[in-house]
């Protein structure tokens, strides 16, 4: 049975007002319907947890062939694992995750923990710092650059490249237009990079080894390196920054972690649920489908509102409360199904390392006003001044 009246909204997902604080807008959309036509964006928004999770699981109907909200980027990304569905997606995904298996990640843990602890120790000694620049950005930059094996001249460009790579996935607004040249520079580099440009023993070298063995097409190696640089840092930066912010502004929750560090994985899951790093991704509807009574025709696009699903009271009790004991292992922030975030294990290691180091060394984190980082696709802070830390 289909609905007789289409739920519509004039909300534009990509205005500064919505990006600065999307949750009131998400709540309004959720209460309208599970599927709402966003007239200004030309897409159907999936607003509720159940419908979002079902769509993410159903790649045959809701295809990742069109992930971005503009056609230029969708065309540019063709052939990558981001915009490829099974069966082509399977081999590309395997090459992408070969060095991110649980066994491989266990081998990285000690080094990442040591890097995180050294950074936190230095910043605690310093007393005041910017939590985003000096910690949330600094650790993933060091970790990911080392893993890929990029050299100094490229390391200096990676942060700007990563930010641009997410911005250009939005609609053709000014943020997207301004970011195209920067993202294009990264894309050109990834097409030209050679195994010899990357450090021996690095994950980047391993991808080229897979190409030489014939496990993946050689021409795909650059695309996979591109994904590590483009997607391997910004979502992690956002998540770590959001974690520091939430633990600073919810000292009672930070106390729970300090008293019981086994809560760190649960706490990070709650950070991801409470403040999804990814604002939205698009999907292409491959065949007529009815979602919650609403017919969505083949050829139309949908917007998957991860942050809205994560705040849906139909699935989570008291969803606007931050509770590190909740342990929402089924949150939507890393996606779901075949296109679930390939690097989520690495992101967890980095975030766990930061949270554990803070819990060991700090009793209270006193922060000033955070500044939202305006990006079409990421829900992140651009600045978070730490005014003072009380040592543990």
């Amino acid at each position: 049975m289909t609905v007789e009246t289409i739920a519509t909204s004039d909300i534009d997902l990509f205005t500064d007002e919505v990006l600065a604080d999307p949750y009131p807008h998400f709540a309004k959309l959720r209460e309208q319907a599970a599927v709402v036509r966003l007239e200004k964006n030309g897409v159907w928004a999936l607003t509720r947890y159940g419908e979002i999770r079902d769509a993410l699981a159903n790649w045959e109907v809701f295809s990742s062939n069109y992930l971005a909200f503009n056609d230029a980027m969708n065309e540019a990304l063709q052939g990558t694992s981001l915009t490829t569905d099974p069966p082509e997606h399977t081999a590309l995904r395997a090459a992408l995750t070969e060095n991110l298996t649980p066994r491989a990640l266990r081998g990285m843990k000690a080094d990442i923990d040591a890097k995180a602890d050294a950074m936190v120790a230095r910043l605690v000694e310093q007393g005041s710092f910017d939590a985003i620049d000096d910690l949330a950005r600094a650790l993933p930059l060091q970790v990911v650059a080392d893993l890929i094996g990029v050299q100094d001249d490229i390391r200096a460009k990676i942060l700007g490249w990563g930010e641009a790579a997410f911005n250009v996935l939005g609609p053709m607004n000014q943020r997207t237009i301004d970011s195209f040249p920067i993202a294009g520079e990264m894309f050109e580099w990834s097409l030209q990079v050679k195994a010899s440009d990357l450090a021996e023993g690095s994950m980047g070298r391993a991808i080229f080894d897979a190409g030489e063995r014939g496990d993946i097409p050689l021409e795909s190696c650059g695309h996979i390196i591109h994904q590590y640089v483009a997607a391997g840092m910004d979502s992690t930066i956002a998540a770590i920054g959001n974690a520091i912010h939430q633990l600073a502004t919810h000292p009672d929750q930070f106390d729970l972690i300090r008293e019981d560090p086994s809560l760190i994985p649960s706490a990070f899951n709650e950070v991801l649920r409470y403040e999804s790093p990814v604002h939205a991704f698009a999907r292409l509807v491959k065949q007529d489908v009815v979602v919650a009574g609403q017919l969505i025709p083949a050829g139309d696009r949908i917007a998957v509102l991860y942050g809205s699903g994560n705040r849906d009271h139909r699935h989570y009790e008291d969803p606007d409360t931050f509770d590190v004991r909740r342990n929402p292992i089924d949150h939507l922030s890393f996606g779901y199904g075949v296109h679930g975030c390939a690097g989520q294990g690495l992101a967890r290691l980095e975030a766990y390392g930061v949270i554990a180091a803070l819990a060991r060394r700090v009793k209270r984190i006193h922060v000033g006003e955070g500044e939202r980082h305006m990006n079409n696709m990421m829900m992140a802070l651009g600045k978070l001044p730490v005014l003072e830390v009380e040592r543990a």
Side-chain angles (χ1 to χ4, degrees):
M1 181 177 178
T2 57
V3 296
E4 294 182 2
T5 304
I6 296 174
T8 64
S9 173
D10 62 357
I11 288 174
D12 181 345
L13 293 175
F14 303 99
T15 63
D16 285 359
E17 177 191 2
V18 172
L19 291 174
D21 184 13
Y23 298 105
H25 303 283
F26 288 165
K28 183 177 179 181
L29 291 172
R30 276 196 309 273
E31 293 315 303
Q32 270 190 269
V35 182
V36 180
R37 182 70 183 176
L38 301 183
E39 301 290 2
K40 291 183 178 178
N41 301 127
V43 297
W44 300 91
L46 301 189
T47 70
R48 297 176 184 170
Y49 181 95
E51 285 74 16
I52 290 172
R53 188 174 168 108
D54 288 348
L56 292 174
N58 189 358
W59 59 265
E60 292 172 302
V61 174
F62 300 99
S63 170
S64 291
N65 291 165
Y66 289 83
L67 184 80
F69 290 87
N70 71 83
D71 289 338
M73 274 311 298
N74 284 319
E75 291 302 319
L77 290 170
Q78 292 306 300
T80 69
S81 69
L82 283 174
T83 58
T84 304
D85 292 322
E88 294 82 7
H89 173 266
T90 306
L92 294 173
R93 172 80 175 203
L96 185 66
T97 58
E98 181 179 358
N99 293 281
L100 296 173
T101 63
R103 181 178 180 180
L105 291 172
R106 283 195 295 272
M108 301 177 196
K109 184 179 185 304
D111 180 59
I112 290 174
D113 284 348
K115 286 175 177 174
D117 191 64
M119 284 187 183
V120 170
R122 176 178 57 80
L123 294 172
V124 168
E125 185 67 28
Q126 190 173 306
S128 62
F129 53 93
D130 185 83
I132 307 303
D133 279 341
D134 299 330
L135 189 50
R137 288 192 180 114
L139 180 65
L141 175 60
Q142 186 175 0
V143 169
V144 173
D146 287 350
L147 287 176
I148 297 172
V150 295
Q151 308 303 315
D152 290 343
D153 56 333
I154 299 301
R155 292 172 86 102
K157 298 180 178 181
I158 282 181
L159 283 175
W161 282 357
E163 177 186 351
F166 275 98
N167 256 331
V168 295
L169 299 178
M172 202 60 75
N173 59 18
Q174 197 60 49
R175 271 185 287 271
T176 299
I177 293 168
D178 291 344
S179 297
F180 261 117
I182 304 168
E185 182 184 25
M186 176 178 63
F187 194 72
E188 286 300 315
W189 170 79
S190 69
L191 292 179
Q192 297 170 16
V193 68
K194 305 182 297 295
S196 58
D197 296 328
L198 307 173
E200 290 188 17
S202 67
M203 189 183 298
R205 275 286 186 100
I207 291 166
F208 279 97
D209 291 343
E212 293 292 344
R213 292 194 305 267
D215 295 345
I216 58 171
L218 268 173
E219 60 270 20
S220 295
C221 294
H223 286 309
I224 295 173
I225 297 291
H226 174 275
Q227 285 181 241
Y228 276 124
V229 177
M233 288 196 307
D234 268 54
S235 55
T236 305
I237 291 168
I240 292 174
N242 292 339
I244 298 168
H245 184 227
Q246 296 308 325
L247 296 178
T249 55
H250 296 88
D252 59 322
Q253 300 297 301
F254 188 39
D255 283 344
L256 291 173
I257 296 170
R258 291 180 58 246
E259 293 162 7
D260 181 7
S262 72
L263 283 173
I264 290 174
S266 171
F268 187 54
N269 280 331
E270 178 67 347
V271 168
L272 292 166
R273 182 202 68 81
Y274 191 76
E275 188 95 62
S276 174
V278 177
H279 181 48
F281 277 140
R283 291 288 192 273
L284 172 66
V285 179
K286 284 291 188 76
Q287 53 188 269
D288 288 357
V289 62
V290 176
V291 178
Q294 175 62 60
L295 173 65
I296 305 178
D300 279 11
R301 314 283 175 87
I302 65 166
V304 181
L305 304 186
Y306 299 93
S308 180
N310 282 334
R311 295 283 190 105
D312 187 357
H313 68 82
R314 297 161 189 81
H315 189 76
Y316 294 113
E317 184 178 353
D318 197 14
D320 294 322
T321 295
F322 180 74
D323 181 359
V324 300
R325 293 165 295 190
R326 188 193 302 266
N327 197 22
I329 58 174
D330 58 352
H331 67 78
L332 300 167
S333 294
F334 284 141
Y336 182 70
V338 298
H339 284 285
C341 177
Q344 61 182 282
L346 179 59
R348 289 184 188 280
L349 278 188
E350 295 172 76
Y352 293 175
V354 169
I355 296 170
L358 288 170
R360 280 193 302 272
R361 296 180 176 275
V362 176
K363 182 179 179 182
R364 285 287 182 273
I365 309 167
H366 299 281
V367 296
E369 187 70 25
E371 177 184 309
R372 178 67 75 185
H373 182 61
M374 291 299 178
N375 185 288
N376 282 327
M377 311 303 289
M378 300 301 302
M379 296 303 302
L381 291 171
K383 297 290 181 183
L384 182 62
V386 175
L387 307 176
E388 180 187 1
V389 291
E390 296 180 32
R391 300 189 188 191

